[in-house]
Amino acid sequence: MKKNIAIIMGGYSSEYKISLTSGNVVYQNLDKTKYNAYRIHIFKDKWVYVDDADQEFAIDKNDFSVTIDNNKITFDCVFNAIHGSPGEDGYMQGYFKLLNLPHTSCGMYQAAVTFNKRDCLSILKPYGILTAESYYLNLGDPVNEEDIITKVGLPCFVKANKAGSSFGITKVHKKEDLQHAINHAFKEDDEIIIESFLDGTEVSVGVITYKGETKVLPITEIVSENDFFDYEAKYLGKSQEITPARLTKTQEAKVNTVAKKVYEVLRMTGFSRSEFIFKNNEPHLLEMNTIPGLTNASILPQQAQAAGISMPDLFGNAIEEALK
């Protein structure tokens, strides 16, 4: 019997267009001999199944089913391809947990923690995971520029705490630009994190559960043409993504060990992609993404390919792991 798989995509954040592309790549690559794949668009104003003719059918949120021509379809598993809220921050995971419906992403708690950069880094620090110096601000807090610069130095990064794809991020070189960067970040989120600049090789490390084991994928080195790995660099071709990364054997071993440790300390399942920068030859964690991009140009699929894992195998394995 073929399994019915709902591929959820879209979402409520600035990342919805990228998510739609990821979801469609999953749809195109799932093995149709094993799975009946359904594209489900999740937006604030509608949850709908979209067929190949772009007809829309409303999802019944009571049991996450869809009725087509008086035929009610339920799903065996959900493939989560929503970047940002509500797919990457725990909301959909909690909903599916209540429905007892398997899904390919991590658990509700893991999603909520990793989506909150401040909380994630705070949890990992006692385990010896190195990070940048950081300063936190909530919307409405007084802004003491001297305190911020004393703590993190210049240049520094001002980031929205709960946003992906480099939305709401600015690299600040001068004190007089700090307030503007803070205002920009607050447009994306009501919490921000300001971090010291780490000058070193930046790498992205995919870690997945593959055939029942934690697997670290080949590492990608990020070389941005811009001042940092911003939205343009990520999605508009303004960067080089070199897989495997040009690291020494020692550097490679260190970051592999740390990336695996982070995945296991957080009790992760499914896909993850963590960003590190080497400072004094030691990998410092920036953040973890639990629904990384899954397009043909995205980093994690490139890494899987370098490990000899095809797209159909990568996506099919995620479903089979979820169904265990």
Side-chain angles (χ1 to χ4, degrees):
M1 284 284 290
K2 287 205 281 186
K3 298 262 192 310
N4 288 344
I5 309 299
I7 305 166
I8 60 171
M9 60 188 89
Y12 304 165
S13 78
S14 307
E15 300 178 81
Y16 77 93
K17 287 183 182 175
I18 305 154
S19 170
L20 291 174
T21 304
S22 287
N24 279 300
V25 169
V26 175
Y27 178 70
Q28 290 154 14
N29 281 280
L30 273 188
D31 185 343
K32 301 302 190 290
T33 66
K34 290 184 181 178
Y35 309 114
N36 298 314
Y38 295 82
R39 294 180 299 166
I40 311 294
H41 288 190
I42 304 287
F43 293 115
K44 281 183 178 174
D45 60 342
K46 62 182 178 181
W47 290 20
V48 291
Y49 158 59
V50 181
D51 70 10
D52 288 338
D54 285 334
Q55 280 185 281
E56 296 184 354
F57 301 84
I59 294 293
D60 184 344
K61 293 180 185 177
N62 292 300
D63 59 0
F64 201 69
S65 65
V66 62
T67 300
I68 304 166
D69 299 329
N70 294 320
N71 181 30
K72 179 173 175 169
I73 295 164
T74 57
F75 301 102
D76 299 292
C77 184
V78 175
F79 194 108
N80 187 354
I82 296 177
H83 312 312
S85 189
E88 200 168 5
D89 54 5
Y91 286 102
M92 295 305 292
Q93 289 86 346
Y95 169 70
F96 292 131
K97 179 76 171 174
L98 290 172
L99 293 179
N100 201 27
L101 184 53
H103 59 87
T104 58
S105 50
C106 60
M108 178 181 72
Y109 172 76
Q110 284 76 12
V113 163
T114 52
F115 196 69
N116 188 311
K117 298 180 184 77
R118 301 183 339 189
D119 289 0
C120 185
L121 297 175
S122 298
I123 286 168
L124 291 168
K125 272 185 180 176
Y127 290 90
I129 307 301
L130 301 176
T131 64
E133 282 291 337
S134 56
Y135 188 104
Y136 304 153
L137 277 176
N138 294 329
L139 188 61
D141 284 352
V143 176
N144 188 318
E145 295 180 355
E146 290 297 336
D147 283 358
I148 294 167
I149 292 167
T150 300
K151 181 83 185 290
V152 302
L154 287 172
C156 64
F157 283 101
V158 179
K159 304 177 180 180
N161 186 41
K162 304 186 297 292
S165 295
S166 299
F167 288 109
I169 182 169
T170 308
K171 186 176 180 181
V172 176
H173 295 269
K174 297 180 293 187
K175 178 183 172 181
E176 49 266 37
D177 296 333
L178 188 57
Q179 187 62 59
H180 177 74
I182 289 168
N183 295 341
H184 177 61
F186 275 136
K187 287 177 185 171
E188 285 290 331
D189 190 18
D190 60 0
E191 300 173 354
I192 66 175
I193 180 169
I194 305 172
E195 290 182 326
S196 60
F197 169 58
L198 300 176
D199 190 9
T201 302
E202 181 170 355
V203 294
S204 188
V205 189
V207 185
I208 62 174
T209 303
Y210 185 73
K211 300 190 188 304
E213 302 287 332
T214 302
K215 184 176 182 64
V216 182
L217 297 173
I219 301 162
T220 300
E221 180 182 348
I222 308 297
V223 183
S224 176
E225 292 174 24
N226 293 352
D227 200 14
F228 63 97
F229 195 43
D230 60 4
Y231 184 88
E232 276 194 337
K234 253 178 204 177
Y235 298 109
L236 304 179
K238 298 278 187 174
S239 69
Q240 279 181 281
E241 295 161 5
I242 302 164
T243 310
R246 298 168 299 183
L247 300 176
T248 66
K249 290 291 181 195
T250 303
Q251 287 176 321
E252 185 180 336
K254 280 181 178 177
V255 77
N256 274 351
T257 300
V258 173
K260 186 178 183 190
K261 183 177 181 179
V262 167
Y263 190 92
E264 292 180 340
V265 162
L266 293 173
R267 302 175 69 85
M268 279 292 301
T269 52
F271 299 135
S272 78
R273 199 194 71 229
S274 297
E275 319 301 329
F276 294 88
I277 289 181
F278 279 90
K279 180 187 176 186
N280 300 328
N281 228 25
E282 296 292 338
H284 287 58
L285 177 68
L286 299 179
E287 64 178 20
M288 175 189 273
N289 299 285
T290 60
I291 314 285
L294 299 172
T295 71
N296 293 312
S298 296
I299 292 171
L300 190 119
Q302 288 179 34
Q303 294 175 339
Q305 187 177 10
I309 302 170
S310 69
M311 294 275 247
D313 187 15
L314 180 68
F315 301 148
N317 174 77
I319 290 167
E320 296 308 318
E321 288 293 330
L323 288 170
K324 283 181 177 177

